[in-house]
Amino acid sequence: MRKGFNFFLIVFVLLFITSLSLDAQLCQGSLGDPIVNITFGSGSNPGPSLSAATTAYKYFGNDCPGDGFYTVRNNTIACFGNTWHSLTSDHTGNGNGYFMLVNASIDPSAFYLDTVKGLCGNTTYEFAAWVVNVLLQSACNNNGNKPNLTFSIEKTDGTILQTYNSGDIPSQSSPVWQQFGFFFTTPASVSDVVLRIFNNAPGGCGNDLALDDITFRACGPKLTPSITGNANTTVVVCEGQAKAFVFTCNVSPGFNSPVFQWQQNLNSGTWTDIPGANTTVLSKNFAANAAPGNYGYRLTASEIGNAASLQCRVVADPLFVNIVANPVPDANNNGPVCEGSNLVLAATDGTQYAWTGPGNYSDSGTSVNINAVQQAQAGKYFVLVTNSSGCSQLDSTVVQVNPVPTATVSFSSKIICAGDAVQLNAGGGTGYAWSPPTALSSASISNPVASPVNTTQYLVTVSNQFACTDTATVQVTVNERPTANAGPDKTIIKGRTVLLEGSATGQSVSYSWQPAVNLDNPQLLQPMANPTADIDYTVTVSSANGCGTATDAMHVFVFNDIYIPTAFSPNGDGLNDTWKIPALAAFPVFELTVFNRFGQKVFQNKNTNTPWDGMFKGAPVAAGSYVYYINLHQFPGILKGTVMIVR
């Protein structure tokens, strides 16, 4: 009677599970860890071929296998004239993960075969696999063959334990991985089964697919875990806090004589049984010195006869106690800083920062600034750092604010004459740096001597023992010393006037000519002169700002009339060798021309009053009389006459 009841209960559970998901045929209770997990591996293309016993299809070492061929790859790109979808990863999104890419044979056939060993007898298992139709909807004139798969679980002698048909797997607008599966129960004496995947559709245009992640997992009652007093399955505990938790698990009907076992792991490591933890309730205490980490707990369940085998157990979703390390703030500052500069406070290892300090200071942020900091703001600053898990740690940093010197100078401006020097004086610190260093006896002392050529502003940076600085400036204005130039000598005809072409340089200068006789204004730089006889004039340029005086002289030649020699003897004896008319210098514009008795021009002089040496075209002219013609372009106008050359 008991045996019949057990059979009835198993059938009832299976029917109940089936009724929850008629389409997927997947386990609706709790699953065990995968006994078989065929992922096809990972790596670069192409992946290795499957064993000869696994498939009757032929291995193809590149992308895009033909009818009756398969390959193992981590991607497929636009095969057969872009009539296949491009897959860039396996079904988990792993760009290096392999999948089996299949182009069905013309005739329906089994394309995958595997023997699964080590199952537990009298145990319900879920078989599942992920499949994608790689054919584009538009391919084959919108009428491509659709994969239609039959999954069969058989005993090793060929007896079928369970089959499941996927139905037609339609093409999609984009590649969609779908999970197909079902559950089956092993007979008491069966531990090895055969998995066969049969493609019912014909090959040709279409019926192309990718296969990935084949799993076998124990299927049993629904295990619903919880942490007493907590709505979530994970609780966070900050390092240094002592906590106690009670883990419970509600088990739905399904096992006749269930055996329970709690397991634990640390940081996603291997699950291990907790000795003596064999009820649906587990109490766990965490001491204040418990190391940070993610502590996992889960309940496993199986029939009493299969309790020793991990492959027979179903497992609840895990519960976690995550002991989070407190932040390590590492509070610091950029000090010591000088008063008036920018203070930077910084801390790390958190998502929230709360700063407090002297003078009721408060701020937030991993890095905060205090501009123009003062000595009153020196002292200890605290920061409460909180991480993303809500764990906090208090840290502090001591800020030192040093005083700044007050730069002083003995004068802010000074006027000197060119060529003079002045001693600069600065104070208020222990170190001095002058800029620019040009024309300084030293740029690193408090009292250098400055002798600039041009007006210069000097900046002195004064530092103290804390390397804090202040600055001051000194303007040294350089006045030029005067220079005087009386201009060129002048020549005039008595009774006429001439402009004296004096020039000068310097600032704030005045002018004076000596003697002042026959000058229209001796205080002008360029007065008009009309002396009655030869005379020397001297100009004096005086600086009003104490930079001295300068003088220069010139001569005015005064001719009573224009004297024109009537003869000369260019014989090289040093006497009367040239014909020269000095008074022509009194005429700025004139033209002198000499002709021989044939009317040929043998000499000409315009405006420069160069004497004639009796030569023409490099050869001496013959002795005799020559006619001259002088145009003065002013009174008395044209002068004519003859000059005799005596050899």
Side-chain angles (χ1 to χ4, degrees):
M1 183 67 179
R2 182 67 178 173
K3 181 177 181 181
F5 175 79
N6 291 346
F7 176 79
F8 174 80
L9 182 59
I10 292 172
V11 172
F12 172 80
V13 171
L14 294 180
L15 290 174
F16 173 75
I17 294 172
T18 302
S19 68
L20 293 177
S21 181
L22 293 175
D23 293 332
Q25 294 290 305
L26 297 172
C27 181
Q28 300 299 305
S30 292
L31 293 167
D33 293 331
I35 298 169
V36 173
N37 189 13
I38 301 171
T39 66
F40 299 103
S42 63
S44 59
N45 286 321
S49 63
L50 306 181
S51 64
T54 302
T55 180
Y57 280 34
K58 295 180 180 180
Y59 175 74
F60 183 64
N62 293 308
D63 198 8
C64 310
D67 290 341
F69 285 82
Y70 78 97
T71 188
V72 177
R73 298 184 60 80
N74 60 35
N75 64 60
T76 179
I77 308 296
C79 286
F80 302 107
N82 200 26
T83 60
W84 282 17
H85 287 297
S86 293
L87 302 179
T88 58
S89 66
D90 68 5
H91 113 267
T92 66
N94 180 0
N96 287 322
Y98 290 140
F99 51 83
M100 183 182 182
L101 184 62
V102 178
N103 190 330
S105 59
I106 298 299
D107 297 323
S109 62
F111 68 89
Y112 189 87
L113 185 69
D114 199 5
T115 298
V116 179
K117 298 182 178 182
L119 303 182
C120 298
N122 198 27
T123 302
T124 300
Y125 288 94
E126 177 200 78
F127 158 80
W130 291 86
V131 179
V132 59
N133 184 341
V134 298
L135 191 71
L136 292 176
Q137 289 178 327
S138 59
C140 306
N141 295 319
N142 300 305
N143 192 31
N145 295 331
K146 301 175 181 61
N148 185 298
L149 307 180
T150 295
F151 303 93
S152 177
I153 303 296
E154 307 167 2
K155 293 167 59 174
T156 55
D157 63 4
T159 303
I160 295 176
L161 297 178
Q162 185 67 276
T163 63
Y164 172 75
N165 180 256
S166 67
D168 288 344
I169 302 174
S171 58
Q172 306 285 344
S173 59
S174 60
V176 177
W177 287 94
Q178 301 179 68
Q179 189 181 38
F180 296 95
F182 58 96
F183 46 85
F184 64 94
T185 302
T186 56
S189 60
V190 173
S191 60
D192 298 342
V193 297
V194 174
L195 165 65
R196 191 185 309 274
I197 305 178
F198 195 93
N199 195 333
N200 303 303
C205 195
N207 197 9
D208 309 305
L209 59 92
L211 175 70
D212 198 11
D213 290 327
I214 301 170
T215 57
F216 283 81
R217 304 174 70 180
C219 174
K222 184 68 175 177
L223 308 182
T224 307
S226 63
I227 304 174
T228 301
N230 292 275
N232 298 321
T233 57
T234 297
V235 292
V236 175
V237 178
C238 295
E239 180 183 8
Q241 298 179 0
K243 293 285 186 178
F245 297 98
V246 176
F247 307 120
T248 63
C249 190
N250 182 51
V251 182
S252 68
F255 285 140
N256 292 323
S257 299
V259 174
F260 303 110
Q261 175 64 61
W262 284 94
Q263 293 183 320
Q264 63 183 358
N265 75 1
L266 177 62
N267 297 327
S268 301
T270 302
W271 289 100
T272 59
D273 291 344
I274 303 174
N278 304 118
T279 68
T280 58
V281 179
L282 175 66
S283 297
K284 191 67 178 177
N285 295 323
F286 290 87
N289 61 352
N294 197 20
Y295 295 82
Y297 299 89
R298 71 179 185 180
L299 182 68
T300 68
S302 65
E303 288 286 4
I304 188 169
N306 294 327
S309 175
L310 297 176
Q311 295 178 335
C312 303
R313 300 182 190 178
V314 295
V315 298
D317 292 334
L319 304 171
F320 294 101
V321 175
N322 189 11
I323 299 180
V324 177
N326 291 323
V328 181
D330 188 26
N332 61 87
N333 67 84
N334 64 328
V337 294
C338 298
E339 189 173 17
S341 63
N342 187 26
L343 173 66
V344 179
L345 305 173
T348 59
D349 206 28
T351 56
Q352 298 181 43
Y353 301 83
W355 292 89
T356 57
N360 297 320
Y361 173 80
S362 64
D363 207 338
S364 61
T366 181
S367 178
V368 296
N369 295 337
I370 300 177
N371 298 321
V373 66
Q374 302 300 306
Q375 285 189 280
Q377 294 171 289
K380 182 176 284 190
Y381 286 78
F382 295 89
V383 59
L384 182 66
V385 177
T386 304
N387 60 23
S388 59
S389 298
C391 299
S392 301
Q393 186 72 32
L394 186 67
D395 199 8
S396 64
T397 181
V398 176
V399 171
Q400 179 180 339
V401 180
N402 292 324
V404 297
T406 300
T408 62
V409 289
S410 57
F411 53 84
S412 60
S413 64
K414 183 71 72 174
I415 299 175
I416 64 173
C417 298
D420 290 345
V422 61
Q423 187 168 44
L424 310 180
N425 285 282
T430 58
Y432 302 87
W434 294 86
S435 177
T438 306
L440 293 179
S441 61
S442 173
S444 58
I445 61 176
S446 63
N447 56 345
V449 174
S451 52
V453 175
N454 301 307
T455 297
T456 303
Q457 184 178 72
Y458 290 99
L459 173 73
V460 60
T461 301
V462 179
S463 58
N464 60 15
Q465 68 271 31
F466 304 110
C468 297
T469 61
D470 190 24
T471 60
T473 58
V474 176
Q475 177 88 7
V476 178
T477 301
V478 180
N479 286 333
E480 293 183 52
R481 292 185 180 275
T483 65
N485 185 347
D489 293 342
K490 297 291 184 175
T491 301
I492 64 171
I493 303 299
K494 186 177 180 179
R496 298 187 180 186
T497 61
V498 67
L499 178 69
L500 305 187
E501 298 180 27
S503 62
T505 63
Q507 292 95 19
S508 302
V509 294
S510 60
Y511 318 102
S512 176
W513 289 87
Q514 294 293 331
V517 296
N518 299 315
L519 296 178
D520 65 339
N521 188 342
Q523 273 68 51
L524 292 178
L525 184 58
Q526 295 184 340
M528 297 297 294
N530 60 345
T532 59
D534 286 3
I535 190 171
D536 288 324
Y537 284 110
T538 299
V539 63
T540 299
V541 181
S542 302
S543 170
N545 52 27
C547 289
T549 62
T551 62
D552 192 30
M554 55 84 64
H555 185 79
V556 178
F557 297 92
V558 180
F559 291 92
N560 291 328
D561 201 353
I562 302 174
Y563 171 71
I564 301 175
T566 59
F568 70 105
S569 56
N571 54 12
D573 62 357
L575 298 174
N576 296 318
D577 284 332
T578 62
W579 184 56
K580 184 176 182 180
I581 308 172
L584 287 180
F587 298 89
V589 179
F590 69 89
E591 183 176 353
L592 182 153
T593 307
V594 178
F595 302 91
N596 61 19
R597 61 192 181 90
F598 302 107
Q600 185 181 18
K601 186 189 302 181
V602 295
F603 178 72
Q604 188 174 42
N605 185 9
K606 291 183 178 181
N607 306 329
T608 60
N609 200 19
T610 302
W612 184 33
D613 59 1
M615 304 290 287
F616 176 61
K617 294 184 178 181
V621 298
S625 180
Y626 292 84
V627 176
Y628 64 82
Y629 177 92
I630 302 173
N631 185 356
L632 299 177
H633 295 286
Q634 59 175 289
F635 183 83
I638 304 297
L639 303 177
K640 299 179 181 179
T642 61
V643 59
M644 181 67 70
I645 293 181
V646 180
R647 295 291 185 182

